[in-house]
Amino acid sequence: MTHRFARVSKTRSSLFAIALLGSGLAFPAFAQDVDDASVEDDGQETAEAPQAENRIVITAQGRQQELADVPVAVSAINAAELERSGATDIRELNQVAPSLLVSSTGNEANGSARIRGIGTVGDNPGLESSVPVFIDGVYRSRSGNALSELGPLDRIEIQRGPQGTLGGRNSTAGLISIYTAQPEFTLGGYGALTYGNYDALRIEAGITAPLGDTVAGRIDGIYFSRDGFYNDVVNDTDVNNRDRYLVRGQLLFEPSDDLSIRLVGDYSKKDEACCAATFVQPEVAPLALVSPGLDPFTRPTGSTPLTSTANPIIPILIGLGNDPRAFTQSTYNRDIYVTPGRTYEGDTEDYGVSAEINYNLGNASLTSITAYREYSNTQASDTDYTQVDILYRAPGEFAGAREFATFTQEVRLQGTAFDGVLDWLVGGYYANEKLQTRDNLRFGDDYGTFVACRLAIALDPALPVTVPDPSQQNCFSPTAFAILNSGAVFGAATPAIVAGLNNLASISDAGGTGDIYNQTSDNFALFTHNIFHVTDRFDITLGLRYTSESKDFDASFGNDNTVCPTNRAIVGPLLAVPALAGFAGGILALSCQGNSTSELDGVTIADSRDEDQFTGTAILSYKALDDLLIYGSYSRGYKAGGFNLDRSALSNPLTLNVANLNTANLQFDAETVNSYEVGFKYAIPKFSLSVAAFHQEFSDFQLNTFNGSVFLVQNINGCETDLQGADRDASATTGACAADQVKNGVVAQGVEIEAAISPVRDVRASLGITYSDTSYEDHLVGSNTGEPLDPALRLLPDDNLSNAPELIGTMSFTWTPEIGDSGMRGLFYLNARAVDDYNTGSDLLYGKEQDGYVVVNGRIGLTNIGGAFSIEGWVQNLFDEQYTQVAFNTPFVAPQQTYSAFLAEPRTFGVTLRGKF
């Protein structure tokens, strides 16, 4: 491979990682322990606290089965482990599941889950999740929708690898199934009050009760507020705060032993400012340096930081009013310098209802899950992440808005046949999803002067005087502008160049006034999943799913940037003159950046796409011993194709023709994966161990990346033919591949180890290790027809995917000793996640690397005080480990392109009081 990360950067992290990976004792305490009386529904320990037995019940195959008997790679985390780990949304699962990585970027609605290094890359809601999230069997439209309070839980199951039979579409990497706590026919209630640093306040309470002999109800509520982790120095406010609540009500009807009906309704709201970023410095990413020729695709050789004044764009920003401290302070200094008056205010609303019916028909059982959900999010932003007003979204209904309305219906019928030899399951699934995105992205007051400065920088080497002068509206020093006006540089084209330059510099508060994208998706599937018990120890599992998917798309545009068409008329003819095309093209590209032009004002477009896919699985499993299962499997997964909901993808802005818009440019193809896995599972009462080795080949891998100007989507594939480096050059026309030579473009392969041990009473320890080489093939193309790879992605061939560390380890340790004879117990809990080095940027540019790190969480306290109360002190990120979630190209801040980063959360700590009855 071209680039590998093999070091953990900090001494403390290195030592801890060695201890963690070499301990040998600690293996994952993932479990819903059968008949485990030590954990009550609210997760508190009882007086008995018997030894946990490693008998774990899951429903990963649509049936209740013990984990040790399920021949698939899956982790299950019970309510007690989730509570101790501090998990309140799916991000905290990172600490207990080594193959999983959940992160968020410029908007929490864009949160992405990855398994084995594979996940949806990018912020475009037109791309569906590679790791879908189901809550109580109900599909959530995007995994980012689960980045909210979850409330009391029963367990979480994380299935690794494609789940194309039962999980359906959009589960090419795996899926996350969350099961909330159900109503009970015994009166009970609980409450919890938490206070922590950053003025964090969390209040949680719930009650469950019988409402008759056959009906039980439950209601849970959570409120959480916290100050932000970033300090907006300019506007005197904080960003990345928390202000959210959740209410969930349930009814459980059990009119007979054969019939149960569960109704769930929930509503959640978030009013939060998110998500700020800081500049990446070499202390964080050693290659965040100025490159030879200011070319970000050339590996830096010196030691000059990207944010130093040696990068010619930095003096421009300072000259336009940016506080210099923004470029010299540490990446982890959370003081940010935002344009005066700009904000990151956001609003999120999520609610829905569902009904699950389980009916025992005698020889078969019927399950029906019906649900309707709505989700909406708006997020204002200072989109350039600088103090200069270059790009912004104003708060309101068009601020990067996305709205989902989703109806789903699933029916499963299952039973046995041939005296139990066949365990059969058939089912159907339907989903109707209506998605609307709205956007008001606009150029700021300083945009015109700022981008004119970029052209002045480009011309600076050609003139005998200093050209850039940000005090001038067109950023040309008077002396340089006089030379330009004289005709000495552009000859007869001078009047057009000067007029175009001055028009460009006049752009101020212009652009989107309201772009609207609508997409309606209809998904229908039939599936079957069957287990043949060939002998009492040997099983064959066969699953097949047929999926039919259709998407109807339309869009309308609102835009008041009149400079674009004006400059198209003035400098457009110069594009045909080779000597003038570069500079004239720069004027026009910056005038029409992202196809922001009044030419699109009032324009509408529409398109549709249909696709059909067969997916499925085949598994051979053998119980070599009563406690040992060996298995091998093949599975095929599929993620739907769709539309890039971004006008910048319509056309190159230089050649945009509103009379001939090609909506095919917005489409991307379905992603598929063929996966092969072998493994074994061993479980005895005090110890369990599972090992899985996997090899996964992805075709038409959907990649959405930001190149500093626009978001682009390509389907990444490989080529059997040697492209002789043409996929690694700066040309968009070289590196094509014959269609019959196109192959898969991404491979994920590795080994996973998970286990649990309870060596003595009241002690439980865990360890999980994942080694995953998740990388692009050599010789890449950008479609299944062999089109060249976009040059913005030319560092991808033969390298690891972004956010795909090769080695990850997790551990946990729990000790719950008896204290006295009153039933009170102590609680001592630690968990940790050690991560190898990786690149966080989807384009893998130098300077977006993240060194290895270790995050440790802890909890200590007294539980079951008087049989009803507990007090716990807790800390998340005990050693205040600083690291980045994602580094990205700071919009428009080039040459040389600088990088900004969305940071992970710092150390938080506090105290929690709990009570129950």
Side-chain angles (χ1 to χ4, degrees):
M1 306 302 293
T2 301
H3 188 74
R4 283 287 181 268
F5 300 103
R7 68 188 188 284
V8 177
S9 61
K10 298 183 180 178
T11 302
R12 182 182 67 231
S13 298
S14 300
L15 293 175
F16 193 92
I18 292 170
L20 177 111
L21 298 176
S23 65
L25 255 203
F27 292 87
F30 304 135
Q32 179 194 3
D33 294 328
V34 177
D35 300 325
D36 183 359
S38 65
V39 180
E40 295 192 354
D41 290 326
D42 62 359
Q44 296 191 54
E45 303 284 343
T46 66
E48 293 82 5
Q51 294 295 315
E53 297 182 356
N54 290 300
R55 298 174 59 213
I56 305 167
V57 170
I58 62 172
T59 55
Q61 295 195 119
R63 310 157 172 85
Q64 287 198 344
Q65 297 172 285
E66 291 188 18
L67 176 60
D69 295 331
V70 179
V72 297
V74 57
S75 303
I77 306 102
N78 70 6
E81 179 77 6
L82 290 166
E83 184 176 280
R84 292 165 185 154
S85 68
T88 58
D89 66 35
I90 62 173
R91 267 174 301 209
E92 280 82 13
L93 297 179
N94 293 339
Q95 288 296 112
V96 293
S99 292
L100 175 69
L101 174 63
V102 180
S103 60
S104 58
T105 54
N107 183 334
E108 286 210 335
N110 299 328
S112 177
R114 293 172 171 84
I115 291 178
R116 296 172 174 171
I118 298 291
T120 296
V121 179
D123 293 345
N124 195 312
L127 280 82
E128 307 191 40
S129 302
S130 300
V131 182
V133 175
F134 291 79
I135 300 181
D136 291 326
V138 177
Y139 175 70
R140 296 300 174 99
S141 294
R142 300 295 182 270
S143 56
N145 294 11
L147 291 179
S148 187
E149 299 298 316
L150 296 175
L153 301 175
D154 178 66
R155 71 187 187 280
I156 295 179
E157 297 176 12
I158 302 169
Q159 295 169 244
R160 308 189 296 275
Q163 306 297 318
T165 303
L166 297 174
R169 64 168 187 168
N170 307 336
S171 57
T172 49
L175 64 82
I176 300 172
S177 295
I178 300 170
Y179 298 91
T180 64
Q182 297 191 33
E184 299 180 5
F185 286 89
T186 302
L187 177 64
Y190 71 95
L193 176 66
T194 297
Y195 184 79
N197 61 334
Y198 293 95
D199 204 22
L201 176 64
R202 178 183 173 87
I203 302 171
E204 181 175 1
I207 187 170
T208 183
L211 303 177
D213 292 338
T214 61
V215 182
R218 181 181 184 116
I219 187 167
D220 299 286
I222 300 171
Y223 171 75
F224 181 36
S225 67
R226 193 206 65 217
D227 292 342
F229 294 139
Y230 293 88
N231 174 34
D232 180 350
V233 175
V234 177
N235 295 294
D236 191 26
T237 188
D238 57 282
V239 183
N240 285 43
N241 67 318
R242 290 287 183 268
D243 187 359
R244 55 180 63 177
Y245 64 86
L246 163 74
V247 177
R248 180 165 60 230
Q250 303 182 61
L251 290 174
L252 178 62
F253 299 88
E254 292 186 346
S256 70
D257 292 339
D258 293 325
L259 177 64
S260 71
I261 302 172
R262 184 187 181 194
L263 304 178
V264 182
D266 64 271
Y267 178 87
S268 66
K269 188 79 161 59
K270 296 192 289 187
D271 292 296
E272 300 169 352
C274 190
C275 299
T278 61
F279 282 101
V280 175
Q281 300 290 356
E283 62 169 333
V284 173
L287 294 178
L289 304 170
V290 174
S291 295
L294 303 179
D295 178 10
F297 294 94
T298 299
R299 187 182 179 92
T301 56
S303 59
T304 306
L306 271 177
T307 57
S308 71
T309 53
N311 184 348
I313 201 64
I314 301 303
I316 299 300
L317 289 168
I318 295 173
L320 289 173
N322 209 113
D323 193 310
R325 290 176 292 179
F327 309 113
T328 57
Q329 69 183 25
S330 167
T331 300
Y332 300 127
N333 183 330
R334 295 174 188 259
D335 285 344
I336 57 173
Y337 300 87
V338 176
T339 301
R342 301 297 181 213
T343 178
Y344 290 96
E345 291 177 10
D347 180 270
T348 302
E349 191 175 42
D350 183 20
Y351 58 90
V353 293
S354 67
E356 179 177 348
I357 301 172
N358 289 284
Y359 189 32
N360 183 357
L361 303 174
N363 294 326
S365 60
L366 176 71
T367 297
S368 171
I369 302 176
T370 308
Y372 177 79
R373 300 202 61 81
E374 291 195 8
Y375 176 92
S376 65
N377 168 264
T378 62
Q379 197 77 56
S381 61
D382 184 358
T383 317
D384 56 79
Y385 302 95
T386 73
Q387 197 173 343
V388 180
D389 196 17
I390 303 171
L391 202 63
Y392 76 98
R393 288 183 172 95
E397 63 175 340
F398 279 86
R402 62 192 63 196
E403 293 182 354
F404 293 93
T406 308
F407 171 81
T408 58
Q409 173 66 60
E410 181 173 6
V411 177
R412 298 193 303 267
L413 184 67
Q414 61 195 89
T416 60
F418 310 117
D419 295 324
V421 171
L422 173 62
D423 184 348
W424 57 268
L425 182 153
V426 295
Y429 180 81
Y430 173 73
N432 174 269
E433 177 186 275
K434 292 180 172 64
L435 164 63
Q436 182 178 92
T437 68
R438 302 183 299 273
D439 206 0
N440 59 357
L441 184 65
R442 293 178 65 79
F443 300 131
D445 292 339
D446 300 323
Y447 176 83
T449 298
F450 175 77
V451 294
C453 287
R454 288 181 51 175
L455 294 174
I457 290 171
L459 205 56
D460 194 52
L463 298 184
V465 297
T466 300
V467 178
D469 182 356
S471 68
Q472 305 296 316
Q473 183 179 6
N474 66 9
C475 203
F476 275 66
S477 67
T479 304
F481 195 60
I483 296 174
L484 185 66
N485 260 322
S486 72
V489 181
F490 294 107
T494 297
I497 292 291
V498 169
L501 180 64
N502 286 336
N503 286 337
L504 172 65
S506 71
I507 296 178
S508 176
D509 195 17
T513 58
D515 296 340
I516 301 175
Y517 304 84
N518 292 298
Q519 177 180 283
T520 299
S521 169
D522 282 296
N523 174 270
F524 173 78
L526 295 172
F527 56 89
T528 181
H529 188 273
N530 307 285
I531 303 173
F532 297 88
H533 303 293
V534 180
T535 72
D536 59 351
R537 290 186 177 272
F538 178 57
D539 289 347
I540 299 176
T541 301
L542 298 175
L544 183 67
R545 187 182 187 107
Y546 169 76
T547 301
S548 175
E549 171 97 10
S550 66
K551 288 181 177 174
D552 297 318
F553 159 83
D554 66 76
S556 60
F557 305 102
N559 200 286
D560 61 7
N561 176 22
T562 59
V563 171
C564 174
T566 300
N567 272 355
R568 194 183 304 280
I570 294 173
V571 303
L574 303 180
L575 300 179
V577 182
L580 302 173
F583 198 81
I587 292 175
L588 187 54
L590 293 171
S591 300
C592 309
Q593 185 66 55
N595 289 320
S596 178
T597 171
S598 60
E599 297 162 293
L600 284 174
D601 191 52
V603 171
T604 61
I605 58 175
D607 201 353
S608 62
R609 59 175 288 121
D610 299 280
E611 58 194 34
D612 301 274
Q613 288 280 343
F614 282 97
T615 55
T617 189
I619 307 172
L620 302 178
S621 59
Y622 179 64
K623 272 276 191 178
L625 303 171
D626 289 344
D627 302 317
L628 176 63
L629 175 72
I630 302 171
Y631 68 92
S633 69
Y634 164 79
S635 59
R636 179 172 174 83
Y638 144 72
K639 186 169 87 167
F643 295 92
N644 183 356
L645 306 181
D646 188 333
R647 58 173 151 75
S648 66
L650 278 170
S651 170
N652 185 322
L654 299 181
T655 57
L656 179 72
N657 181 359
V658 295
N660 189 28
L661 295 176
N662 185 4
T663 56
N665 293 335
L666 300 179
Q667 291 202 34
F668 53 88
D669 290 324
E671 175 182 304
T672 59
V673 56
N674 292 307
S675 177
Y676 310 87
E677 184 172 311
V678 294
F680 71 85
K681 297 184 178 184
Y682 178 72
I684 57 176
K686 309 304 179 187
F687 176 75
S688 67
L689 171 67
S690 65
V691 177
F694 59 89
H695 178 89
Q696 302 174 161
E697 299 176 348
F698 291 81
S699 298
D700 285 316
F701 180 76
Q702 297 169 3
L703 178 63
N704 180 208
T705 191
F706 180 64
N707 65 9
S709 300
V710 298
F711 286 94
L712 58 94
V713 178
Q714 280 205 304
N715 287 104
I716 306 299
N717 286 288
C719 182
E720 296 281 2
T721 305
D722 190 335
L723 297 178
Q724 301 295 317
D727 55 343
R728 304 177 189 232
D729 62 28
S731 172
T733 59
T734 60
C737 178
D740 61 357
Q741 294 293 299
V742 173
K743 64 167 189 170
N744 61 282
V746 172
V747 172
Q749 55 191 355
V751 178
E752 298 165 320
I753 302 172
E754 292 187 342
I757 189 170
S758 184
V760 296
R761 182 177 177 84
D762 305 328
V763 173
R764 190 172 178 87
S766 72
L767 177 75
I769 299 174
T770 295
Y771 171 79
S772 181
D773 178 4
T774 305
S775 56
Y776 296 102
E777 295 284 81
D778 207 351
H779 314 301
L780 296 182
V781 292
S783 74
N784 55 26
T785 59
E787 295 176 7
L789 188 71
D790 190 285
L793 305 176
R794 61 185 182 268
L795 293 182
L796 270 55
D798 201 29
D799 205 347
N800 287 44
L801 272 68
S802 62
N803 287 288
E806 289 190 356
L807 185 63
I808 303 172
T810 61
M811 64 81 67
S812 70
F813 176 84
T814 306
W815 182 36
T816 55
E818 292 183 271
I819 300 178
D821 56 7
S822 67
M824 182 170 65
R825 286 186 169 270
L827 170 64
F828 178 81
Y829 175 82
L830 285 175
N831 70 31
R833 179 182 175 93
V835 180
D836 197 10
D837 300 359
Y838 57 97
N839 192 308
T840 69
S842 55
D843 52 15
L844 302 183
L845 282 171
Y846 306 107
K848 297 183 179 181
E849 301 87 358
Q850 170 61 55
D851 279 344
Y853 58 88
V854 175
V855 175
V856 180
N857 298 336
R859 189 172 294 262
I860 188 169
L862 297 174
T863 66
N864 206 44
I865 304 171
F869 300 99
S870 70
I871 181 170
E872 301 166 5
W874 54 266
V875 59
Q876 303 284 87
N877 195 357
L878 174 64
F879 298 113
D880 201 22
E881 189 72 36
Q882 305 275 17
Y883 60 101
T884 63
Q885 294 190 88
V886 173
F888 60 96
N889 296 357
T890 313
F892 298 123
V893 181
Q896 181 179 344
Q897 179 68 61
T898 62
Y899 309 129
S900 296
F902 299 115
L903 305 180
E905 295 186 356
R907 176 171 51 218
T908 57
F909 53 86
V911 176
T912 297
L913 303 175
R914 304 183 195 275
K916 63 169 184 173
F917 66 88

